[in-house]
Amino acid sequence: MDKTITRIFDLLPYYEQKFKPKADVLAGKENGDWVKYDITKFREIVDNISYALIQLGIEKGDKIATISNNCPEWNFIDFAVLQTGAIHVPIYPTISEADYKYILNHSEVKYVFVAGRELFRKVEHILPEVDNVLDVYTFKTTEGLKHLSELITLGAENQDVEKLQNIKSNISADDTATLIYTSGTTGNPKGVMLSHANLLSNVEAVYHIFPVDENCKAVSYLPLCHVYERMNIYTYIYLGVSIYYAENMGTIADNIREVQPEILTTVPRLLEKVYDKIIAKGRKLKGIKKQLFFWAVNLGLSYQVENNNGALYNFQLSIANKLIFSKWREALGGKMRVIVSGGAALQPRLSKVFTAAQIPVLEGYGLTETSPVIAVNTLEPGGLKFGTVGKVIKNVEVKITPDGEILVKGPNVMKGYFKDKAMTAEAIDSEAWFHTGDLGEIVDSGHLRITGRIKEIFKTSMGKYISPALIENRFKESAFIDGLMVIGEHQKFAAALIVPNFEH
């Protein structure tokens, strides 16, 4: 990685110097049209927001929150906040009112940026109970609320290049860049403190596995408030890849066909939906077409890495790719070079069939506390093994305890939990090993396989954390329920097995 990049905001001048000018460094859809930003406009907006934040009295270590879906404005705030030495607190748009109240109070946020009226409504009622919030700005024009453009204008009218440069020069790689709140077993979310160095160490470790360059595009739909997609975005910027933000979950397929990206980062759930739709279409076929379709699918499901399939299989696969899988590739824009999956366990059959269809799927593993990547499959010789989460990334160590827990040590491990030394000490031991709470093993090829989970929290296939005890205890407050068990590890959603109180 380039040595001039030691803080996240260093990515922008690097981009401007390194890559040829193009209109679509960032792109988001507004009223049916793609609104694009080149690097000059990107930097100008970021700098003006930084000047405005300085004018408003923001100082190093202050917290600024965003509650928004993915859009270029999210990136503008992110870089602008980091340039002032402040800390970005990205908050998930669909959490409960109680969680909003806790996070905004606990993190001591001073300013909040929301997408528009709909998300403002979620926090409107609790703001009077959050004394530290000074003001709220919106990305979309919303009557009665301040708009981001007012801040940009304020900054443009109060530019102080020298002051901003002095502030930036006093920000170190080890300074906290972000506070990301994750589900906690106690009921309150935990604030994970990640530094510039934490996140950039992950960019440095993974950028070489992305087979893309400045001529390529990426479609992004995973929430930027999650560290997984956020780190991917920093990696795209480092590689000069154009970033197009999908409008919403319902438009992803259309956006992908329109943009024709070379790379997509996803959670398993989207791949499951794509596969299920493809199979459903196959079932509607008749006669020889249907036979050919399922012959190709079954061929893909038995695919092996490293050409261990034999000459006959490879010949048959070439026919399947021409007749059947070519249509799969077209459905994903026709240019897809790789799909990277994380956030939850991926079914090995999906990796096999998509990779056989010349759409390689690379599964990885990590946690918010590890910025996030710990291990990932790659396209390098010996780098891909189905049913594993890949080899441990360079600059990171993994140790498996006698009882099978995965421990991690490296520059990607968080600084700790905000305002919680006890919880931090519980997670990171005296020898700097982070205890993941996950069970795993290193197989003969050197790949990491996840075998289970020590901690009771589990994830759905959408990557959403579920804490069973919290839900169980709340439901058991009802007189109609005698006993209840929450289930749903790696499933589409959580469910419950309920024993009713029949007498009641």
Side-chain angles (χ1 to χ4, degrees):
M1 191 168 181
D2 192 281
K3 290 178 181 176
T4 62
I5 301 171
T6 58
R7 291 94 33 107
I8 290 162
F9 52 80
D10 292 329
L11 286 164
L12 296 187
Y14 168 82
Y15 192 111
E16 194 162 34
Q17 292 159 19
K18 173 86 173 174
F19 303 114
K20 59 179 184 274
K22 60 177 173 180
D24 59 349
V25 174
L26 290 178
K29 242 187 182 179
E30 291 179 23
N31 303 318
D33 295 316
W34 288 105
V35 178
K36 301 173 183 179
Y37 298 87
D38 62 21
I39 191 62
T40 305
K41 190 67 179 171
F42 188 173
R43 291 197 68 188
E44 180 190 319
I45 292 171
V46 166
D47 285 348
N48 281 333
I49 296 171
S50 291
Y51 294 133
L53 292 174
I54 293 166
Q55 190 70 15
L56 291 174
I58 288 296
E59 295 178 350
K60 188 174 182 178
D62 285 343
K63 321 295 188 308
I64 294 173
T66 48
I67 306 169
S68 170
N69 51 325
N70 290 14
C71 57
E73 289 84 354
W74 195 100
N75 298 104
F76 300 155
I77 299 299
D78 185 44
F79 280 95
V81 166
L82 299 184
Q83 282 191 162
T84 63
I87 296 167
H88 186 181
V89 184
I91 307 176
Y92 204 77
T94 56
I95 60 173
S96 68
E97 205 170 89
D99 280 348
Y100 277 126
K101 184 179 171 183
Y102 176 81
I103 292 170
L104 292 173
N105 273 312
H106 186 261
S107 62
E108 302 163 10
V109 161
K110 289 197 170 180
Y111 288 92
V112 179
F113 291 85
V114 298
R117 168 66 63 189
E118 190 181 325
L119 286 174
F120 177 69
R121 280 200 190 108
K122 294 195 170 193
V123 295
E124 188 175 7
H125 304 297
I126 61 162
L127 286 175
E129 301 170 63
V130 187
D131 295 336
N132 38 277
V133 171
L134 302 175
D135 220 333
V136 177
Y137 288 86
T138 63
F139 296 158
K140 292 175 186 168
T141 303
T142 307
E143 192 179 340
L145 293 172
K146 292 182 178 177
H147 188 256
L148 176 62
S149 60
E150 295 177 42
L151 212 57
I152 294 169
T153 302
L154 176 67
E157 291 170 352
N158 292 276
Q159 293 186 359
D160 192 334
V161 178
E162 191 178 342
K163 186 171 185 179
L164 180 57
Q165 197 52 49
N166 286 339
I167 290 170
K168 285 161 75 172
S169 64
N170 285 313
I171 299 168
S172 80
D174 293 321
D175 284 337
T176 301
T178 190
L179 260 183
I180 300 177
Y181 280 82
T182 66
S183 302
T185 51
T186 58
N188 286 329
K190 298 175 293 184
V192 177
M193 295 186 288
L194 297 177
S195 68
H196 293 266
N198 286 152
L199 288 156
L200 290 174
S201 75
N202 232 229
V203 173
E204 183 174 6
V206 304
Y207 79 86
H208 68 283
I209 74 163
F210 289 5
V212 287
D213 55 33
E214 63 179 301
N215 301 308
C216 297
K217 299 190 195 82
V219 165
S220 167
Y221 80 95
L222 295 177
L224 285 169
C225 52
H226 284 185
V227 69
Y228 172 40
E229 190 68 351
R230 185 173 178 181
M231 192 279 300
N232 287 328
I233 294 298
Y234 294 151
T235 307
Y236 294 153
I237 291 172
Y238 182 68
L239 293 170
V241 175
S242 298
I243 301 160
Y244 284 74
Y245 290 119
E247 294 164 86
N248 55 58
M249 281 295 287
T251 64
I252 289 171
D254 292 337
N255 295 155
I256 287 173
R257 280 192 292 271
E258 193 179 351
V259 175
Q260 298 182 308
E262 282 80 4
I263 187 168
L264 175 75
T265 46
T266 185
V267 289
R269 181 70 194 117
L270 182 73
L271 288 179
E272 289 167 15
K273 284 175 76 174
V274 169
Y275 181 74
D276 290 345
K277 276 188 177 179
I278 289 170
I279 297 300
K281 282 186 179 178
R283 289 198 183 107
K284 291 177 183 175
L285 298 172
K286 304 290 183 189
I288 189 70
K289 284 186 177 179
K290 187 172 186 177
Q291 287 179 327
L292 265 174
F293 178 87
F294 283 101
W295 166 78
V297 170
N298 289 329
L299 204 63
L301 290 172
S302 60
Y303 180 81
Q304 299 296 319
V305 191
E306 298 292 340
N307 294 319
N308 293 333
N309 306 287
L312 176 61
Y313 178 92
N314 289 336
F315 173 68
Q316 290 176 319
L317 185 61
S318 67
I319 295 170
N321 260 303
K322 197 168 186 179
L323 297 178
I324 307 298
F325 294 144
S326 57
K327 294 179 177 66
W328 294 26
R329 294 192 292 275
E330 283 171 26
L332 289 168
K335 294 182 180 178
M336 195 71 73
R337 296 181 187 178
V338 69
I339 293 175
V340 184
S341 178
L346 177 70
Q347 299 168 16
R349 68 185 182 124
L350 294 178
S351 322
K352 287 183 179 183
V353 74
F354 279 105
T355 302
Q358 296 176 4
I359 311 162
V361 176
L362 304 177
E363 184 178 8
Y365 161 70
L367 298 92
T368 304
E369 289 90 339
T370 56
S371 304
V373 185
I374 293 168
V376 65
N377 281 283
T378 73
L379 296 175
E380 296 161 355
L384 176 59
K385 187 172 181 66
F386 300 129
T388 76
V389 293
K391 292 181 179 177
V392 176
I393 58 173
K394 63 180 182 180
N395 73 23
V396 168
E397 293 177 72
V398 159
K399 179 169 77 173
I400 310 293
T401 65
D403 61 358
E405 186 181 8
I406 301 167
L407 307 190
V408 182
K409 184 190 283 188
N412 61 330
V413 174
M414 66 170 179
K415 295 178 71 173
Y417 295 115
F418 187 56
K419 294 182 182 174
D420 203 329
K421 288 182 180 176
M423 189 82 78
T424 302
E426 199 178 306
I428 304 172
D429 65 27
S430 58
E431 295 178 357
W433 288 101
F434 172 73
H435 293 242
T436 65
D438 293 319
L439 299 168
E441 60 184 6
I442 305 287
V443 299
D444 293 342
S445 58
H447 293 74
L448 177 63
R449 177 180 283 128
I450 308 299
T451 58
R453 189 176 297 279
I454 292 174
K455 53 193 179 185
E456 78 175 353
I457 288 179
F458 63 78
K459 274 184 184 178
T460 64
S461 63
M462 281 296 289
K464 175 72 178 172
Y465 278 105
I466 303 290
S467 180
L470 283 174
I471 303 170
E472 289 161 4
N473 292 339
R474 178 60 61 87
F475 270 88
K476 281 187 276 192
E477 289 174 7
S478 166
F480 293 97
I481 294 174
D482 189 47
L484 178 137
M485 184 172 78
V486 173
I487 55 175
E489 175 90 337
H490 306 321
Q491 302 304 311
K492 297 172 191 174
F493 45 77
L497 300 174
I498 300 174
V499 179
N501 183 327
F502 289 101
E503 285 182 16
H504 181 73

